[in-house]
Amino acid sequence: MPHCDLTKSISLPKKQRKRYTLLRILMVILFLAGISYFLSTLFFPTAYFSYDDTIDSLANTIKEPRTKDDITSFDVALSGTHDRAKIVINTEEDLAGKNILMRKSFAAFLSPITTLSLPKHAESFENNGIYYLEDDTIIYPLVSYQAAQSYLRNNATLERKVLSQSSEISSQTRGFSSGSLLSSNSGIYVIDGIKKHAIDDEETFLALGYNFDDVIKTDSEERGAHQKAKIYTISATHPTNTFFTATDTDTTFHYDGTNLRTVDVNTISHKPITVDFEDRNESAECILSASVFSQHRYTCSISLEAITDNAGNIYRFSLPGTSSITGISTALAASPTRSTIDRRIKEMKKILKEQFK
C-alpha cells in the first residue's frame, strides 16, 4: 500500500498559521508547567490541616486541643520531610506576643516519665503441650506457641510448669501480647490488649517506627483470639507495652498507655522503636501576632530545621493559656533547598528499593 501523507498538501492561511503556532507554544508551556508543578509537589510537598469546633470531630484533621497545667496542645500527624510551618489560631483570648512551641516525635514517647514501678509482667508457660498465661493470679489458655513466645522477656525461654488441681483456669483464650505485630493475607495488625488494630497502609506502618522484620506470620485462628478494633491511621498512638530505645542516652523505655518508664533492656518483650531522648526537648518556636483582618485571629510561621529529622509521626504544638480555641489551620511545607532535595531523593530510593527487592 503506498504511503500517503496529506499534511504536505494542507496549507493554512497566514492568520490561522500564526494562531496555530501560538497554540502549539501554549501547549508546550502548559506541559512544562504541569511537569514543574508535579516535580514541585513531589520534592516540596505542602500538607494542610484544620480544626473547627463547630463541625463533627471526624471531619477535623487536627485533634481537638487539650489544656493541662495552663498549656494547650494539639497534634498534627504527618510523615515525610517538612521544614516550615504556618499556624493560624482563632480564639477570643489575646494571644498576641505569646510563644507557640512545636516538637516532633511519637505521641507515646512524648508522654510523662514516671518513677513508679512497672506493673507485674504476665508470664507464659507450657504444661503438657498446652500453652498458658498467668496474669494477676488467673491462668488463661493461649491460642498458640507463637502467642506464648510473645510474652517472653528478652532472651528468655518458655518454661514448663505443673498445674495444681486448685489452679483457676479461665475459659477465655488469650492471644498475643500487647504491642505484637501480626500479619494476614490482607495486611498487618498491631495488638493492644485483647484487641487488634489493622494498620491502614505502609506509610502508617513506617511512620510509627515499625520494622517489617518484626511482623509475626499468623493464621486465622491466632488472629481470631483478638477482637477487631478501629484501624490505626497515621495519627495513631502506640499501644500499651510498646518499647522505645533512645540511642543518644542508651536508655530503654516502656509505654503503659499513659506514662513511660525506664526499664532494663533484658526485660523487654518486643523489639524497641528507635528514638533520640533529645527529641523530647528539641523544639521550634515562633511568636503569635494578631491578624490585621480579624480581631480574634493569630498567626505565626516556624522554621522546623531543628526538628525535621526527628523520628516520629506527630508534630505537637503547645502554647500557654487558652482552652477557648475555636479554629486552627496549619500548613506544613518543604522548602526548595538542597537538603530537602537530597532527603527526598533518599526517601524515593528507599521506596523503590523496597518495591523491587
Side-chain angles (χ1 to χ4, degrees):
M1 181 177 179
H3 177 70
C4 297
D5 187 357
L6 300 179
T7 58
K8 292 182 179 180
S9 62
I10 296 176
S11 179
L12 295 173
K14 185 177 180 180
K15 187 176 181 180
Q16 290 185 353
R17 194 162 56 242
K18 185 182 292 185
R19 187 179 300 170
Y20 176 69
T21 302
L22 289 175
L23 286 173
R24 290 182 64 183
I25 294 172
L26 179 61
M27 288 182 65
V28 171
I29 291 173
L30 290 175
F31 175 76
L32 293 176
I35 292 295
S36 299
Y37 177 76
F38 171 76
L39 292 175
S40 176
T41 56
L42 180 65
F43 284 94
F44 316 117
T46 300
Y48 300 93
F49 302 86
S50 63
Y51 164 78
D52 187 336
D53 69 346
T54 63
I55 63 175
D56 190 290
S57 60
L58 294 176
N60 290 318
T61 51
I62 295 176
K63 290 184 178 180
E64 183 175 358
R66 55 209 176 274
T67 302
K68 182 179 181 181
D69 300 329
D70 201 35
I71 298 292
T72 297
S73 302
F74 56 91
D75 294 347
V76 167
L78 184 63
S79 64
T81 303
H82 300 82
D83 56 14
R84 54 192 171 95
K86 183 177 181 180
I87 306 102
V88 179
I89 296 176
N90 297 309
T91 177
E92 293 185 0
E93 185 176 334
D94 183 9
L95 296 182
K98 291 190 176 182
N99 275 17
I100 182 166
L101 300 180
M102 185 173 176
R103 293 181 291 167
K104 181 187 178 187
S105 187
F106 301 104
F109 191 62
L110 291 174
S111 300
I113 296 176
T114 181
T115 56
L116 297 175
S117 58
L118 193 67
K120 186 179 179 182
H121 180 75
E123 301 285 349
S124 59
F125 62 93
E126 181 261 335
N127 175 263
N128 291 330
I130 301 175
Y131 305 101
Y132 295 94
L133 180 72
E134 186 173 2
D135 187 8
D136 195 22
T137 73
I138 300 177
I139 296 174
Y140 298 89
L142 285 169
V143 70
S144 69
Y145 170 73
Q146 283 198 123
Q149 289 283 103
S150 72
Y151 291 90
L152 296 179
R153 298 175 188 271
N154 197 22
N155 298 321
T157 56
L158 196 63
E159 294 184 2
R160 291 183 178 181
K161 286 187 179 180
V162 176
L163 291 174
S164 65
Q165 292 184 347
S166 61
S167 296
E168 181 183 354
I169 300 178
S170 172
S171 59
Q172 178 188 359
T173 299
R174 286 284 185 92
F176 290 75
S177 67
S178 190
S180 298
L181 297 169
L182 311 183
S183 70
S184 70
N185 292 332
S186 58
I188 297 174
Y189 293 92
V190 60
I191 302 303
D192 189 0
I194 62 173
K195 297 180 179 180
K196 60 182 178 185
H197 300 265
I199 298 177
D200 65 348
D201 55 26
E202 182 179 353
E203 180 184 7
T204 296
F205 182 88
L206 296 175
L208 289 170
Y210 291 132
N211 191 311
F212 287 108
D213 293 336
D214 302 325
V215 179
I216 304 168
K217 293 181 179 180
T218 57
D219 57 33
S220 58
E221 182 183 0
E222 289 176 309
R223 296 188 299 275
H226 297 276
Q227 301 172 5
K228 279 188 177 181
K230 66 179 181 179
I231 292 176
Y232 261 33
T233 64
I234 198 168
S235 61
T237 300
H238 290 82
T240 59
N241 202 41
T242 296
F243 295 89
F244 297 94
T245 289
T247 55
D248 54 341
T249 59
D250 195 25
T251 310
T252 301
F253 296 90
H254 173 269
Y255 176 62
D256 65 4
T258 304
N259 299 304
L260 291 172
R261 291 177 175 82
T262 56
V263 294
D264 188 288
V265 69
N266 291 318
T267 66
I268 67 176
S269 52
H270 299 295
K271 188 175 179 181
I273 295 168
T274 302
V275 292
D276 282 335
F277 187 79
E278 189 58 28
D279 291 353
R280 290 173 54 90
N281 304 315
E282 288 180 341
S283 64
E285 63 181 279
C286 67
I287 299 175
L288 291 164
S289 59
S291 171
V292 296
F293 302 106
S294 176
Q295 184 180 359
H296 304 300
R297 187 182 179 91
Y298 301 89
T299 66
C300 73
S301 298
I302 304 178
S303 170
L304 307 180
E305 286 292 344
I307 63 174
T308 189
D309 290 326
N310 291 7
N313 61 318
I314 294 296
Y315 290 87
R316 177 161 296 172
F317 299 80
S318 302
L319 65 154
T322 194
S323 58
S324 60
I325 291 177
T326 58
I328 307 169
S329 64
T330 66
L332 279 73
S335 301
T337 61
R338 181 71 252 176
S339 60
T340 300
I341 295 174
D342 290 341
R343 287 193 196 101
R344 293 296 290 156
I345 291 175
K346 186 177 180 180
E347 289 172 4
M348 291 170 66
K349 284 182 177 178
K350 184 178 180 181
I351 293 172
L352 291 172
K353 185 178 180 181
E354 289 292 331
Q355 292 293 327
F356 297 102
K357 70 178 181 180

